[in-house]
Each structure stands twice: as structure tokens, then as C-alpha cells.
Amino acid sequence: MKTYKLPVVASILLASAATTSSAANEGDFSSRWELMAEAYSSVQQILGGDGGTEQRLSALETEMALFKEQCNLLAKIERATCLDDLTRLTTMATTAVNPDDETRNQLFPTNIPNFVSPEMKKIMANWTPFWLAPGWEGFPDPDDYGAWQTLHDEVIDPATRAGEALLDSLDVTTQEREIGGVRTVVVSPKENLNPGKVLIHVHGGAFYANTPETTFDRTAPLSNVMGIDIVSVDYKLMPAPDWDVLDQRDQIIDVFDALTGEGGEYAPEDVGIYGCSAGGGLVAMATNEMSHRGGPLPAAAVTQSPQTDFTLDSDSNWTLRYDDPRTQVDLLIQSVWPMLGITEEKALDPRYSPALDDYSGRDMPPTMVQVGTKETQMSDGIRYYDVVRRGGHVTQLDAHDAMQHCFHGHWGTPEAETAVGRVAEWFEEHLYKK
């Protein structure tokens, strides 16, 4: 299996390295990858030195200034990214000088404000992004379907076990059902307080990962809080021959149509729909398509941390590219988007990128957009909220300061409980509005 080269040369940080001091003085780097490899090695030597904190900080400052000069000698197209990478490395190294600070993530240095709860702060300080995990070799080739399946299978079992433990703790049960020709898992609370009403859940996972079983942290808490059944859709994952992201979207619509159409169990006004990340994007794609078709719509929708613009033109994709521990923009561009078959033409197509559509003159369900201010997809959510609202529709933007991508899944933290509570309030308001 051919693997993607290496995101931001992260594995060099994790592997032992030996180099001479002041490697930046040697110059003549052919690329930012080569320069950053030397920079990481140089930092490791400084951090492993015998000097005290002040001495090591001084050496670090001197060495990084030299590497910065070398960044500016690279080809113009690489300079800005090289300087970004170097800034991040400097922050990481400065943090590592004081490794006993338990409130900072040593592998992924990002600001954690004091107001963040101790529970969430602990999660953020100990989070290891997958591209920094030991043994990470990069994503497979875009068309290596078997390798992508293997990569997915490696995380299924542990994530499923964690989800099953959450089900037990919340006294929530599940049942597998085929609805509209699509496999689903129905999550049910101990006491159904909303008979005759249901939510459709669309899981995240960059369109290639996860199942209803690995995302019970997105369904069990809400089912428990609201006392409502949730139908979690097991849509077909990418990559797959002769398959497309819009086919995933259509499976979501198939489930809605089966639940609400002739012989269905629910009226459209008794159904809500929600999802996070890729799931949020699919919710936006599905409701947009249903709106264009002019048929029945869900009573309400919630898109959490949604992917709504495949062009990656949203501002936070770049301004927060080093602050979101769940999303790495370079990986999306260089590996995930090609695997999904996202071409420039598709990226500019509003069917794929709903933030690029015009929502005026047609119906849309009341839509809440929930984002965290630390995630790269924050701007995707804000822009989607804006275009739907400008179309004259009922919308709400629910932003949570300092929170990372899909933070609401960390059940047991005050931040996740607040986010889930807001979603419950939105659905309770609109599912009962006739």
C-alpha cells in the first residue's frame, strides 16, 4: 500500500532524530518538508540538552530565527506554509520546555482558556490527533479501496465498545432496522416521552468512516435527554467504485421518505434531522435537495460542525488549521478529497457545497448551526447559516467559544451537556409547531 508522505512531518517529532546544532545555517533546502525535517531534529537536540529552561529557550529562539530566514528563501508557493509550520513547531517546542504543565497538550499545543471546564480541559490536554499518533503512516492512495477499508476496520471495535458502555450508563437500547433500503440503528430511551416523533441522525467521519455503532456518543445522550427515538443511518461509506457523496445524501433522503411517505410511521412535521461534521454536511445536502424537489421537509434540522464547502474557501480552514485537533486541512486536500472524487467542478457545485447555493424563493426546515470556535469548519457553519438566513428562513447560530470539532460528543463534560441541551430545545420547539 502506498501511503501519503507525511502531514507536517509529524512523525519526525515522534521518532528519535540526530542532527548537528544550527542546521538552519546549512541552508539550500529543496522544499519545506526538508527544511521542517531539519527543524524538528534541531528542536529535539535543544530540548534534550543539559542547559536550564532559560538557556534552552534562548537557543530555541536563535535557531528558529535562522530557520525562518531559510523559509523565506524557498519558492514563493511554499513560503507562507513553511512559516506557518515553523510557528507551530516553535509553539510546540516552547510548550515542551515545561512538560509538567498538565493543562497544556504537549503533542498539539493550542490555547486552552481558563474558563474551559476541568473535564473538557483534561480531554483537550490529552487529545492526540490521529496524524500525530505513533505508527501513523498517512492515508492510503485515493483509489486503494481495500486499504481504506482496513484503516476503517482498525478503529471500529474500540469505538464500538466505548459506545456500548455509554448506552449502558444512560439506559438506552438499540435495534437494527432496514428503512428505505438502508441499514439503520434505532436508539431508544428507557421511557419514550415523544411517541409519534423521531429524529434522524447522520454520523460524521469525513464521508469514509464510522457507523451508527461508533457514534452512540452522538445519539444516546440526546435520546436520553429528550426521551425520543433516534434513527441513526448507516449510509454506504466512501471510497467505493461507481459511488459518490451524493449517493450518500440520497440514502439519507431515502430513510426520510420511507419514514414519512405512504405507509410510513411518521408525518414529516414529526421528524427532525441532525448530524456532525460530514454528517452535518450530508444533512445540509439532503435538506437542500429536498427543498429543490419541493416535497415534504423535516420539521427541523441541526448541522453541527458541518462540512458545507468543498472548495475549502472558508476562512477558518486556514486561520485555525493548527488549532483543531480533529481536522488537518493538508490531509483533506492531498488525500481525503481525491479519495472522495471531489473535483474542482464538484467542489463548486451547490449540490456538494450547500454553502454556495441560493436559498431564496423556496422552503427550508428551521435550521440550527452549531459550531466551536476552535474548529477549522467553524466558517463553513457560519457561511451556511448566513446563506440560509438570507434566503428568508428560520435559523439559529449556536457558537461555543474554545470548543473543538464535534465537541458535543464528549458526554460527561459541561460543554457537551450544554450543546446537547441546546439541540434538544431546538427540536422540542419545532417538532411541536404545527
Side-chain angles (χ1 to χ4, degrees):
M1 166 177 98
K2 179 181 177 183
T3 56
Y4 165 61
K5 169 84 172 170
L6 193 64
V8 197
V9 291
S11 68
I12 295 175
L13 176 66
L14 299 170
S16 60
T19 188
T20 58
S21 181
S22 298
N25 281 320
E26 298 176 9
D28 196 27
F29 295 109
S30 62
S31 69
R32 71 180 175 98
W33 299 108
E34 182 182 347
L35 186 151
M36 291 305 299
E38 291 291 347
Y40 271 104
S41 297
S42 182
V43 163
Q44 283 196 324
Q45 186 179 48
I46 292 171
L47 295 180
D50 296 330
T53 298
E54 293 301 321
Q55 182 179 349
R56 285 186 290 167
L57 285 173
S58 177
L60 179 67
E61 181 179 1
T62 300
E63 193 76 349
M64 293 301 100
L66 293 172
F67 276 112
K68 183 176 180 180
E69 293 177 5
Q70 294 298 325
C71 274
N72 287 318
L73 296 178
L74 294 175
K76 185 176 181 180
I77 195 172
E78 289 196 297
R79 290 174 198 166
T81 306
C82 179
L83 292 170
D84 281 348
D85 290 346
L86 196 62
T87 298
R88 174 162 183 73
L89 172 60
T90 303
T91 303
M92 186 181 297
T94 303
T95 302
V97 169
N98 183 17
D100 298 324
D101 186 352
E102 296 181 354
T103 68
R104 299 293 158 191
N105 190 317
Q106 302 300 317
L107 283 178
F108 193 85
T110 184
N111 183 56
I112 306 176
N114 290 328
F115 68 78
V116 173
S117 72
E119 296 87 350
M120 184 63 82
K121 190 175 293 185
K122 183 177 180 180
I123 290 170
M124 296 170 74
N126 289 282
W127 184 272
T128 301
F130 66 86
W131 62 90
L132 294 180
W136 168 253
E137 295 181 337
F139 282 124
D141 280 346
D143 58 355
D144 192 342
Y145 304 123
W148 281 93
Q149 184 63 52
T150 299
L151 178 68
H152 180 248
D153 290 346
E154 289 174 354
V155 300
I156 286 295
D157 287 344
T160 299
R161 287 194 295 272
E164 290 171 346
L166 183 60
L167 292 177
D168 291 339
S169 69
L170 295 175
D171 202 8
V172 173
T173 59
T174 65
Q175 178 185 11
E176 184 177 335
R177 285 185 56 191
E178 183 176 302
I179 301 175
V182 182
R183 178 183 178 271
T184 72
V185 175
V186 181
V187 179
S188 300
K190 182 178 181 180
E191 181 181 2
N192 191 332
L193 303 178
N194 293 276
K197 301 184 186 296
V198 71
L199 301 181
I200 296 174
H201 170 250
V202 187
H203 69 75
F207 305 93
Y208 77 88
N210 284 322
T211 66
E213 288 85 354
T214 64
T215 51
F216 285 142
D217 55 351
R218 311 296 202 269
T219 52
L222 184 59
S223 175
N224 177 268
V225 168
M226 288 187 66
I228 195 171
D229 283 348
I230 298 178
V231 175
S232 190
V233 183
D234 192 17
Y235 56 87
K236 186 174 180 179
L237 299 174
M238 298 289 288
D242 304 318
W243 195 253
D244 186 83
V245 172
L246 295 187
D247 294 307
Q248 297 177 320
R249 175 205 69 182
D250 289 345
Q251 285 192 308
I252 312 306
I253 297 174
D254 288 343
V255 172
F256 174 78
D257 287 346
L259 289 172
T260 61
E262 185 176 353
E265 306 165 54
Y266 304 92
E269 60 268 23
D270 293 325
V271 180
I273 185 170
Y274 76 105
C276 183
S277 190
L282 286 169
V283 167
M285 291 181 216
T287 54
N288 190 24
E289 177 65 12
M290 288 188 274
S291 172
H292 276 298
R293 292 179 184 180
L297 294 169
V302 175
T303 62
Q304 299 166 301
S305 307
Q307 172 66 52
T308 64
D309 183 2
F310 278 107
T311 71
L312 293 177
D313 192 38
S314 291
D315 186 59
S316 60
N317 280 314
W318 307 101
T319 58
L320 296 178
R321 64 186 301 186
Y322 294 128
D323 288 286
D324 187 344
R326 283 179 177 253
T327 308
Q328 220 281 350
V329 174
D330 290 336
L331 290 177
L332 295 178
I333 294 173
Q334 298 177 26
S335 190
V336 177
W337 270 209
M339 177 274 292
L340 297 177
I342 300 298
T343 62
E344 181 178 358
E345 182 180 15
K346 287 183 178 179
L348 292 170
D349 186 335
R351 295 178 301 166
Y352 292 85
S353 298
L356 305 183
D357 213 343
D358 179 359
Y359 291 84
S360 59
R362 53 192 175 96
D363 292 333
M364 279 289 288
T367 301
M368 170 191 276
V369 179
Q370 193 172 72
V371 297
T373 64
K374 197 183 289 293
E375 60 174 322
T376 60
Q377 285 165 298
M378 175 182 68
S379 293
D380 266 31
I382 292 173
R383 291 175 59 217
Y384 178 67
Y385 156 80
D386 183 59
V387 296
V388 175
R389 178 167 180 170
R390 280 193 279 120
H393 307 291
V394 176
T395 54
Q396 179 174 313
L397 179 64
D398 185 44
H400 296 251
D401 193 26
M403 291 297 99
Q404 68 273 33
H405 191 59
C406 294
F407 69 96
H408 66 280
H410 297 297
W411 189 247
T413 66
E415 290 85 355
E417 292 173 6
T418 296
V420 172
R422 299 263 179 88
V423 172
E425 290 171 1
W426 183 257
F427 281 131
E428 286 168 352
E429 176 183 357
H430 294 285
L431 283 176
Y432 287 94
K433 226 181 231 186
K434 298 295 183 181

